[in-house]
Amino acid sequence: MAAYQETKVHGTHGFPYIVYVGILPEYINGIPHHWHEEMEIIYVTDGIVNVSVGNTEYVLSVGDIILVHPQTIHAIRQHGDSSALYYNILFRFSMLENGADDTCREKYLDPIYSRKLLMPVYLTPEHPLHAEIEPLIMSLLIDPHYQRFHDELLIKARVFEILYRILPYCEQADSAVAGEDIVFEKLKRSLSFLEEHYAENISVDTIAAQSNYSASHFAKLFRQLTGDSFTQYLKSYRLEMAADRLRNEQTKVSEIALSCGFSNLSYFSRAFYEKFGMTPSDYRRSPLPAAAGAGDDRAHIGTENENTIGG
């Protein structure tokens, strides 16, 4: 399960690039709010999925693209009862840099990284940029990666071209964006605290204090960011952590429930069934769905919870 602040390198330290495939519902409802150093491109190939970037939620259908700045809070969740297949391309700008005096880094990469230069976030097939970068995205998904020793060069060239195509559509950030970024930086502290202490009895006052906000102001900002109250979100996050442990451990259900913040096993079982449509024991016994794309080049990209291309 993705943490709020993902500190791992997606890919390798020498080549921080990777592609994941996401399948919803994969007995989870999505990926909770988090951020990482990598820029992320989300591309939907089947179904409908909700993607939140900052405090804006987008409903994506087939062919839609989301561009996520590095260090930006974002989340993915199931759209109602709809299923979806989507791909995540993640890369660090460090794979494109060429030393301390790199002109491209200073002129283009640093402004995007710091959000002084803002990329368009949501691209439908009608957006003019979509036609320019979709073929490049598809080439990164379909081409066999790391089968030949020189494939890293091709990947880097295509990532460079994607950024080259994006740059003419970027806009300079204004003071309003700078203000939003300050708010999100503060909220990150509370999200990190929640990740570390979700199994404990956390009050709204305690979590709000991490961001130096009053409880009432924090509650308002948190709902704007996540769409849920803090209490609802904490419950959902605890259930997702419990589900992840049920998949990967043989620990007793009662022990997992307690370690994830549920002191009442009956309440945990009811809440788990409401969220996942099955009991914790049935969830543990149920098979994972087969990865989409079996039989084509994309099949060996794998699922979003495992490192694949570049890993």
Side-chain angles (χ1 to χ4, degrees), residues 8-182:
K8 71 176 182 178
V9 174
H10 293 272
T12 66
H13 286 280
F15 198 70
Y17 164 91
I18 200 165
V19 177
Y20 298 108
V21 59
I23 307 167
L24 295 178
E26 193 177 346
Y27 301 124
I28 59 173
N29 301 99
I31 307 300
H33 288 80
H34 64 289
W35 74 93
H36 39 65
E37 289 293 319
E38 291 81 4
M39 175 176 163
E40 181 169 349
I41 301 172
I42 302 171
Y43 178 68
V44 180
T45 59
D46 188 45
I48 304 174
V49 62
N50 289 22
V51 177
S52 297
V53 181
N55 59 2
T56 303
E57 184 168 65
Y58 305 92
V59 179
L60 277 65
S61 54
V62 176
D64 289 350
I65 298 168
I66 289 283
L67 304 177
V68 184
H69 283 79
Q71 299 196 90
T72 299
I73 297 175
H74 57 289
I76 301 172
R77 68 180 180 86
Q78 186 179 4
H79 180 77
D81 296 327
S82 300
S83 60
L85 173 65
Y86 62 92
Y87 291 88
N88 309 71
I89 300 172
L90 291 91
F91 58 90
R92 293 197 179 194
F93 286 168
S94 60
M95 70 177 280
L96 307 174
E97 296 175 359
N98 184 31
D101 298 323
D102 186 346
T103 299
C104 288
R105 189 201 73 217
E106 293 178 0
K107 290 180 66 176
Y108 313 117
L109 301 182
D110 284 351
I112 291 175
Y113 181 86
S114 63
R115 287 176 51 84
K116 294 178 181 176
L117 199 59
L118 299 176
M119 300 183 295
V121 175
Y122 179 40
L123 306 178
T124 66
E126 291 72 34
H127 194 289
L129 176 57
H130 189 282
E132 296 187 39
I133 67 172
E134 186 185 37
L136 297 167
I137 292 172
M138 289 300 298
S139 71
L140 291 172
L141 301 182
I142 295 174
D143 284 352
H145 297 288
Y146 290 112
Q147 301 300 307
R148 303 179 301 273
F149 81 96
H150 57 288
D151 280 338
E152 293 91 341
L153 290 174
L154 182 61
I155 292 169
K156 185 179 289 191
R158 285 179 173 149
V159 170
F160 260 124
E161 185 171 358
I162 287 173
L163 290 174
Y164 171 78
R165 299 288 181 180
I166 289 172
L167 278 165
Y169 295 89
C170 291
E171 298 180 352
Q172 294 289 333
D174 57 21
S175 57
V177 171
E180 288 178 359
D181 287 348
I182 292 172

Side-chain angles (χ1 to χ4, degrees), residues 185-240:
E185 284 300 317
K186 289 185 177 182
L187 286 174
K188 284 178 182 179
R189 303 173 199 165
S190 291
L191 291 173
S192 294
F193 182 86
L194 191 153
E195 178 203 354
E196 295 173 7
H197 301 278
Y198 70 90
E200 302 171 14
N201 186 17
I202 308 174
S203 68
V204 176
D205 288 315
T206 300
I207 196 75
Q210 308 307 311
S211 298
N212 295 319
Y213 286 127
S214 67
S216 59
H217 190 52
F218 170 81
K220 178 182 177 181
L221 292 173
F222 193 85
R223 185 179 285 276
Q224 288 176 350
L225 173 64
T226 67
D228 291 323
S229 69
F230 170 71
T231 301
Q232 292 170 325
Y233 195 86
L234 176 60
K235 173 185 171 183
S236 180
Y237 185 78
R238 285 171 168 169
L239 290 169
E240 288 165 349

